[in-house]
Amino acid sequence: MPERQESTISPRKQPKQARSSELVGAILAAAAQVLAREGAHRFTTARVAERAGVSVGSLYQYFPNKAAILFRLQRDEWRQTSDVLHGILEDVGSPPLERLRALVHAFIRSECDESAMRLALSDAAPLYRNEPEARAAKASASGAIQSFMREVLPTATDATRTLAGELVTATFAAVGKRFSETPRTPEEVESFADAMADMFCAYLRELGHVGHGRE
């Protein structure tokens, strides 16, 4: 069956009963498997439905097109990443740069553990990256980074904090993706994360003189 060309990536309806929730869960689980195995370019609603053991019609009750399914997978991934980011950066019981180091390690490990899925989602991004829902999802992570920069660089200018936040965010996205494209051993992951954290911490110390020692 050919893909339906619709502009929206919003779900057609939300499941209200346990059976409907199970159906949506099965569709999303199948979609994740198809995406990881086939990649974004061969991802179709027909393949997802077949993998989930449901009809394409049942799938279309909840998702209007393949972009809606892919965005749901991406949104769930963003939400999980955002929860980790907020949980680490907002833990004021730890020194700021110690939190940043913990975030780097968590991010790099996650990128490598889920590399097939994340690389495929990156390839699928043009289908939905300009949609309002996509911009809103990214705004949460950006806000957490900027809040952290205000804490770690209290005497810096707004322009300096904004630049620092954008640099850290861009480095996470670009370097994490490239590093995870090649299979890595746990030792390589830890070594790389340490080096990346060292780089960020040295940069922020230079900007704000926030302390020394290995956080």
Side-chain angles (χ1 to χ4, degrees), residues 136-153:
K138 290 182 178 180
S140 175
S142 177
I145 292 290
Q146 287 304 322
S147 178
F148 176 77
M149 290 302 166
R150 287 192 292 272
E151 177 187 359
V152 78
L153 299 171

Side-chain angles (χ1 to χ4, degrees), residues 1-2 5 72 74 83 92 94 108 129 138 142 158 162 169 172 177 188:
M1 178 178 291
Q5 300 299 316
R72 172 62 183 270
Q74 179 66 87
D83 288 346
V92 295
S94 300
I108 295 299
R129 64 186 171 194
K138 290 182 178 180
S142 177
D158 287 341
T162 297
T169 300
F172 268 136
K177 179 179 183 295
E188 288 175 324

Side-chain angles (χ1 to χ4, degrees), residues 2-76:
E3 297 295 330
R4 299 184 181 184
Q5 300 299 316
E6 297 180 33
S7 61
T8 181
I9 58 172
S10 300
R12 280 211 165 105
K13 64 179 181 179
Q14 297 295 335
K16 296 181 179 180
Q17 299 179 346
R19 185 175 180 181
S20 298
S21 296
E22 291 174 0
L23 173 60
V24 170
I27 292 170
L28 293 173
Q33 294 171 11
V34 171
L35 184 62
R37 293 182 181 182
E38 303 287 346
H41 300 297
R42 298 191 64 200
F43 183 95
T44 66
T45 53
R47 284 191 173 94
V48 172
E50 180 181 10
R51 183 70 183 176
V54 303
S55 69
V56 175
S58 294
L59 182 152
Y60 280 136
Q61 289 182 39
Y62 296 94
F63 299 100
N65 49 46
K66 71 176 185 179
I69 303 174
L70 288 166
F71 178 70
R72 172 62 183 270
L73 293 176
Q74 179 66 87
R75 190 192 70 181
D76 290 349

